Amino acid sequence: MPRNTRIKPLRSRGVRVTKAVIPAAGLGTRFLPATKAQPKEMLPVYDKPAIQYVVEEAVAAGIRDILIITGRGKQSIENHFDRSWELEENLRAHGKSRDLKIVREISSLVNMYFVRQKEALGLGHAVLCAKSFVGSEPFAVFLGDDIMDSRPPAISQLLDVWDAHQGPVLGVMEVPRELTRAYGIIRPKEMGEGLFRVEDLVEKPEPDKAPSQLGIVGRYILTPDLFEILEKTRAGRGGEIQLTDALRILKRRRPIYACALKGHRHDIGNKVEFVKATLAYALKDPEARASILAYARELVAEQD
Ligand code: UTP
């Protein structure tokens, strides 16, 4: 499916973004013990692993090459996007053609590459692992535990800004003030509706120190000059190499933009948000909807 098909005058003159990086090597400590022996990115959100929604968003936006940053114990991600000959043969033998189609489609979505982050040193370090894959092109970053439910896809909203300005773009959303300590927060200068120039960025500020309530969420368009900065970035907040710290230095060299994303975000690395995401996607299934709503009503009645 082509991404947003509206014609923009600058699009044909600019560099196109065709590569994406999905960091998925984090330890998932907020979701223990579920994530002790399985990646949080593979937790099923209704009927698909979380990371499949992310890959489908990239494909819907016209991305053709995806690098997933994995780590120890994350082999199931690689297996999920590979062919499964034995399973396919079994489904074929039992005449389960619908299931066979679903299973096959996953491995034919896009060109998929994998690299291991040998130690979970932080998001900035995970992005640095993509240096050889990216080369000299701009690239999209999707966090593997952030599902964005939106039309047009969240990354297409950022690509529109890239097409117009040819500079790094951060996806942001308004977060409650008491939650600023969970996000990278920008100091915005409004350029237009939902479009900002980033004046400064702070990683996980306390609510009274936050320069705004615009939190960086799991979508970015980045440029390869960031790698040289990441190579020199030392561990910051939480002892991790932070992407926000590197972006702060990049901002001194070139303009960085932020786009207020429209749509619903599900941070499935958080248990409560994971349950909400599962419910939201289950309710989209016409075969499941009535039964789930009836059960929810039962649960609510029991609470009263
Ligand atoms: P998070 O901070 O949500 O992931 O990183 P985490 O560290 O796994 O989570 P908690 O806080 O311990 O529960 C956002 C994304 O960046 C990836 C994660 O896999 C997630 O998709 N990440 C994070 C890496 O790939 N490598 C890292 O070193 C850290």
Side-chain angles (χ1 to χ4, degrees), residues 22-31 40-41 69-70 74 117 119-123 125-126 142-146 204 240 267 269:
I22 307 181
L27 299 178
T29 54
R30 285 172 295 156
F31 219 138
K40 64 176 162 182
E41 296 82 5
I69 314 290
T70 68
K74 302 265 182 174
Q117 183 189 18
E119 210 182 327
L121 295 177
L123 179 59
H125 182 259
F142 298 68
L143 297 195
D145 59 354
D146 247 353
K204 302 189 172 66
E240 298 195 339
D267 168 13

Side-chain angles (χ1 to χ4, degrees), residues 188-261:
K189 183 171 180 204
E190 191 153 13
M191 295 171 66
E193 208 202 322
L195 176 65
F196 308 93
R197 174 98 179 245
V198 176
E199 301 270 278
D200 200 3
L201 314 90
V202 194
E203 182 63 22
K204 302 189 172 66
E206 289 302 315
D208 57 333
K209 303 252 163 52
S212 76
Q213 283 174 248
L214 289 174
I216 305 170
V217 294
R219 300 292 181 271
Y220 309 74
I221 306 294
L222 300 176
T223 46
D225 46 352
L226 181 71
F227 291 120
E228 178 209 322
I229 299 171
L230 278 172
E231 276 165 343
K232 295 185 196 130
T233 303
R234 300 267 160 267
R237 189 95 195 206
E240 298 195 339
I241 297 175
Q242 298 288 357
L243 181 59
T244 309
D245 292 343
L247 288 170
R248 198 160 191 224
I249 295 170
L250 184 66
K251 173 206 60 89
R252 291 189 210 135
R253 302 186 186 172
R254 54 148 79 218
I256 296 185
Y257 304 92
C259 169
L261 292 173

Side-chain angles (χ1 to χ4, degrees), residues 57-213:
E57 181 192 328
V59 173
I63 301 277
R64 289 291 159 260
D65 293 295
I66 296 180
L67 175 74
I68 301 186
I69 314 290
T70 68
R72 187 179 299 280
K74 302 265 182 174
Q75 296 89 331
S76 57
I77 299 178
E78 216 164 318
N79 292 340
H80 182 70
F81 291 105
D82 196 4
R83 291 290 293 269
S84 176
W85 299 98
E86 193 184 352
L87 175 63
E88 288 179 24
E89 197 40 54
N90 183 289
L91 294 172
R92 199 186 346 268
H94 291 88
K96 295 184 175 172
S97 51
R98 185 163 165 261
D99 292 333
L100 181 62
K101 186 167 171 281
I102 291 170
V103 163
R104 277 193 155 174
E105 264 171 10
I106 297 165
S107 57
S108 60
L109 281 173
V110 73
N111 299 322
M112 200 75 89
Y113 306 85
F114 299 88
V115 70
R116 270 193 181 211
Q117 183 189 18
K118 293 188 181 68
E119 210 182 327
L121 295 177
L123 179 59
H125 182 259
V127 171
L128 180 58
C129 295
K131 187 179 173 197
S132 318
F133 167 80
V134 165
S136 57
E137 296 174 39
F139 60 106
V141 172
F142 298 68
L143 297 195
D145 59 354
D146 247 353
I147 299 177
M148 293 292 308
D149 190 1
S150 59
R151 286 283 163 272
I155 205 72
S156 301
Q157 299 173 40
L158 300 195
L159 286 168
D160 283 347
V161 178
W162 166 266
D163 285 341
H165 297 279
Q166 299 279 300
V169 194
L170 317 179
V172 294
M173 282 183 151
E174 185 147 337
V175 300
R177 185 152 284 274
E178 66 276 14
L179 291 186
T180 57
R181 57 170 74 93
Y183 292 87
I185 301 287
I186 65 161
R187 182 194 307 282
K189 183 171 180 204
E190 191 153 13
M191 295 171 66
E193 208 202 322
L195 176 65
F196 308 93
R197 174 98 179 245
V198 176
E199 301 270 278
D200 200 3
L201 314 90
V202 194
E203 182 63 22
K204 302 189 172 66
E206 289 302 315
D208 57 333
K209 303 252 163 52
S212 76
Q213 283 174 248

